[in-house]
Amino acid sequence: APRERGDSRCRETPPGYYAYNAGNWRIYALNSASVNKATELSWLQADLASNPRQCVIAYAHPPVYTAGPPDNDEGGMREIWRALWDAGADVFLFGHDHSLQVYSRLNRDGTGPDPSGMREIIVGTGGRNLTTQTRAPAGLEVAMDGNTNPTFGVGKFTLRDGSYDWSFLPTVSGGFTTSGSDVCR
């Protein structure tokens, strides 16, 4: 039967996280605002184990590691980061910080570079005022904020068989841009 406003079944709240496949990629949409991180973590670990892929990418809102100004792990995603890292995930994408931050592959704790680690990319440059970064975390390769070439723009990701490309596309001609590519772990 169709659900109508006021129907008690409509009050059920979905968990706000899910996964899907695109070619040989497994893609995770995660809920960094989830109040029950333990349930989300259990679901993620089970899904990673039952859906092995050559390449894995995840995205959420507040980042685990950041140049600021928000505090690191504002979304409480550190254990999620570690689960993805342990499963060999390739990239964890975030928004939230109003800047662009592209990190090298990071270690399991995100405290420094690891050539066999997972990359973090933050693209929070979609509209509101750009913020200024307050620190320079280990592994930060490319950064653009309110003080350095301030440019609004979007991130573009091309997922290939065994590799991926990323680029920052400015909303105005002549604005800051950057790009790169990497192979899957």
Side-chain angles (χ1 to χ4, degrees):
R3 295 182 182 187
E4 296 180 18
R5 188 174 294 252
D7 184 333
S8 64
R9 293 174 296 172
C10 290
R11 290 189 211 131
E12 296 173 327
T13 303
Y17 47 86
Y18 55 92
Y20 55 98
N21 299 324
N24 70 327
W25 284 82
R26 184 72 170 164
I27 302 171
Y28 290 92
L30 300 172
N31 186 355
S32 50
S34 172
V35 294
N36 193 337
K37 287 290 187 279
T39 301
E40 184 175 10
L41 178 60
S42 293
W43 168 83
L44 176 63
Q45 289 170 324
D47 194 85
L48 286 162
S50 63
N51 292 285
R53 291 288 186 279
Q54 177 187 7
C55 303
V56 174
I57 188 169
Y59 56 91
H61 189 65
V64 178
Y65 307 103
T66 177
D71 294 331
N72 280 330
D73 203 24
E74 187 174 11
M77 301 291 283
R78 191 173 319 273
E79 291 306 314
I80 300 277
W81 168 279
R82 289 178 179 144
L84 288 163
W85 197 98
D86 289 346
D90 302 288
V91 185
F92 207 163
L93 306 175
F94 297 96
H96 192 66
D97 284 4
H98 294 199
S99 65
L100 170 71
Q101 300 171 46
V102 178
Y103 290 80
S104 64
R105 291 174 178 229
L106 298 174
N107 63 26
R108 187 174 188 268
D109 291 321
T111 56
D114 178 342
S116 63
M118 182 170 63
R119 184 180 295 275
E120 180 184 69
I121 299 176
I122 301 170
V123 184
T125 55
R128 215 168 120 209
N129 56 319
L130 298 172
T131 56
T132 301
Q133 296 167 11
T134 57
R135 55 193 164 273
L140 183 61
E141 290 183 331
V142 177
M144 186 279 305
D145 65 12
N147 286 341
T148 60
N149 300 308
T151 303
F152 292 106
V154 298
K156 176 183 176 185
F157 296 86
T158 305
L159 307 179
R160 303 186 188 289
D161 186 17
S163 67
Y164 58 97
D165 303 328
W166 74 89
S167 57
F168 178 76
L169 305 174
T171 58
V172 296
S173 179
F176 175 84
T177 187
T178 188
S179 62
S181 62
D182 206 347
V183 297
C184 296
R185 293 171 59 195

